[in-house]
Amino acid sequence: MKNRPGGNAIQGDLFSGFNSVVDETIESMHKEVLSMQDADVSFYRNFFNQQDSDELFQTLFNEIQWRQDKMKIYGKEVNLPRKTAWYGDRNMSYKFSGIHLDPEPWIPTLLQVKEKVDKVAKVKFNSVLLNLYRDGKDGISWHTDAEPELGNNPVIGSVSFGGARRFMFRHKHNQDLKAEIELIHGSFLLMAGATQHFWQHQIPKTSKQVQPRINLTFRVINS
Ligand SMILES: O=C(O)CCC(=O)C(=O)O
């Protein structure tokens, strides 16, 4: 189903769009809850206003130490289709797709974003994985955020700045169950509960003209 009031959701048979409620943790912050079986996903579309979002995009683009990591496909090393960075508390190392990352120390801009994210998620995140999608040729394929160091039922707080991109979900055990949301400039997506056990997500590549996008996924690493 597309363009329901309150959000752009595309659903499989059992997906019934959004419920809208007002989150009382931050006054007038509007929370949309995605009706997804076996999941706990909510969305705050105007988490940061336009001006703050523009400034945060520019500062992160310039100040983050972006890395071009590689992955192996059929024994051949190729560039990841995006740039990445890992920031966090000391010793919060992270491993994904065979890549080991030691954290860069927090910078003020990241702490500014984290303060707001922590408050709404009611979680004290200790690390953040950043992705820079330069254009539509960059993306991230189907996966779950379920590395062992994230523990059981990880909470993932995902902030987006820059060009809007499709964020797709598919259920791991029922192919009829799908969901999709457009992650717009200044938005915040919160995944919690059993979401990572039951659902995979991706940002598909696109042949459309899209602006560069920065995504921050805040995580709690259990050291
Ligand atoms: O860019 C996004 O919104 C998703 C990023 C993601 O799935 C990840 O870093 O694991």
Side-chain angles (χ1 to χ4, degrees), residues 129 131 133 140 143 145 158 160 167 183 201 203 213 215 217 219:
L129 178 67
N131 292 299
Y133 303 86
I140 188 165
H143 68 285
D145 295 334
S158 169
S160 295
F167 187 83
L183 295 184
H201 54 269
I203 299 277
R213 166 174 184 264
N215 172 255
T217 51
R219 295 151 193 253

Side-chain angles (χ1 to χ4, degrees), residues 70-86:
K70 293 181 182 294
M71 60 181 173
K72 269 205 170 146
I73 297 186
Y74 301 118
K76 201 176 149 207
E77 285 219 317
V78 294
N79 284 342
L80 277 189
R82 60 192 179 279
K83 290 202 167 185
T84 57
W86 178 246

Side-chain angles (χ1 to χ4, degrees), residues 71 73 78-82 133-141 165-166 168 202-208 210:
M71 60 181 173
I73 297 186
V78 294
N79 284 342
L80 277 189
R82 60 192 179 279
Y133 303 86
R134 293 154 289 190
D135 55 31
K137 293 196 283 301
D138 280 349
I140 188 165
S141 54
R165 295 290 294 262
R166 295 169 73 193
M168 303 171 75
Q202 72 160 351
I203 299 277
K205 295 179 182 183
T206 174
S207 55
K208 287 193 192 136
V210 286

Side-chain angles (χ1 to χ4, degrees), residues 81-124:
R82 60 192 179 279
K83 290 202 167 185
T84 57
W86 178 246
Y87 283 71
D89 294 356
R90 265 205 288 169
N91 302 324
M92 296 303 159
S93 299
Y94 189 52
K95 210 171 163 197
F96 72 99
S97 303
I99 299 162
H100 178 94
L101 296 173
D102 287 321
E104 300 292 339
W106 292 109
I107 58 171
T109 309
L110 286 177
L111 289 174
Q112 179 193 337
V113 177
K114 182 175 121 56
E115 189 184 348
K116 193 161 176 178
V117 164
D118 281 2
K119 205 183 259 181
V120 171
K122 303 188 186 78
V123 171
K124 200 169 171 342

Side-chain angles (χ1 to χ4, degrees), residues 14-214:
L14 299 174
F15 181 64
S16 56
F18 295 133
N19 296 318
S20 287
V21 295
V22 173
D23 188 328
E24 286 162 9
T25 50
I26 292 189
E27 214 181 327
S28 77
M29 178 74 66
H30 192 259
K31 171 178 169 180
E32 296 163 34
V33 178
L34 279 76
S35 303
M36 288 164 59
Q37 185 178 303
D38 307 324
D40 177 356
V41 182
S42 41
F43 185 57
Y44 299 79
R45 68 182 55 241
N46 299 312
F47 196 68
F48 290 99
N49 67 32
Q50 177 79 35
Q51 190 186 339
D52 289 350
S53 301
D54 292 350
E55 286 171 12
L56 286 163
F57 176 91
Q58 215 46 58
T59 309
L60 293 169
F61 188 84
N62 293 330
E63 292 187 0
I64 291 296
Q65 297 187 38
W66 296 107
R67 310 157 46 105
Q68 178 59 73
D69 283 315
K70 293 181 182 294
M71 60 181 173
K72 269 205 170 146
I73 297 186
Y74 301 118
K76 201 176 149 207
E77 285 219 317
V78 294
N79 284 342
L80 277 189
R82 60 192 179 279
K83 290 202 167 185
T84 57
W86 178 246
Y87 283 71
D89 294 356
R90 265 205 288 169
N91 302 324
M92 296 303 159
S93 299
Y94 189 52
K95 210 171 163 197
F96 72 99
S97 303
I99 299 162
H100 178 94
L101 296 173
D102 287 321
E104 300 292 339
W106 292 109
I107 58 171
T109 309
L110 286 177
L111 289 174
Q112 179 193 337
V113 177
K114 182 175 121 56
E115 189 184 348
K116 193 161 176 178
V117 164
D118 281 2
K119 205 183 259 181
V120 171
K122 303 188 186 78
V123 171
K124 200 169 171 342
F125 290 104
N126 60 20
S127 49
V128 62
L129 178 67
L130 293 104
N131 292 299
L132 169 62
Y133 303 86
R134 293 154 289 190
D135 55 31
K137 293 196 283 301
D138 280 349
I140 188 165
S141 54
W142 289 113
H143 68 285
T144 54
D145 295 334
E147 290 76 15
E149 57 268 48
L150 296 175
N152 198 27
N153 290 348
V155 180
I156 308 286
S158 169
V159 177
S160 295
F161 298 116
R165 295 290 294 262
R166 295 169 73 193
F167 187 83
M168 303 171 75
F169 288 101
R170 71 177 181 195
H171 197 282
K172 284 161 77 172
H173 310 302
N174 182 343
Q175 61 181 19
D176 291 334
L177 293 182
K178 296 180 182 114
E180 176 174 335
I181 188 159
E182 190 181 37
L183 295 184
I184 54 173
H185 190 40
S187 65
F188 176 50
L189 181 79
L190 185 61
M191 298 185 276
T195 310
Q196 304 303 325
H197 291 283
F198 291 101
W199 293 81
Q200 293 182 313
H201 54 269
Q202 72 160 351
I203 299 277
K205 295 179 182 183
T206 174
S207 55
K208 287 193 192 136
Q209 195 76 18
V210 286
Q211 293 300 309
R213 166 174 184 264
I214 292 172

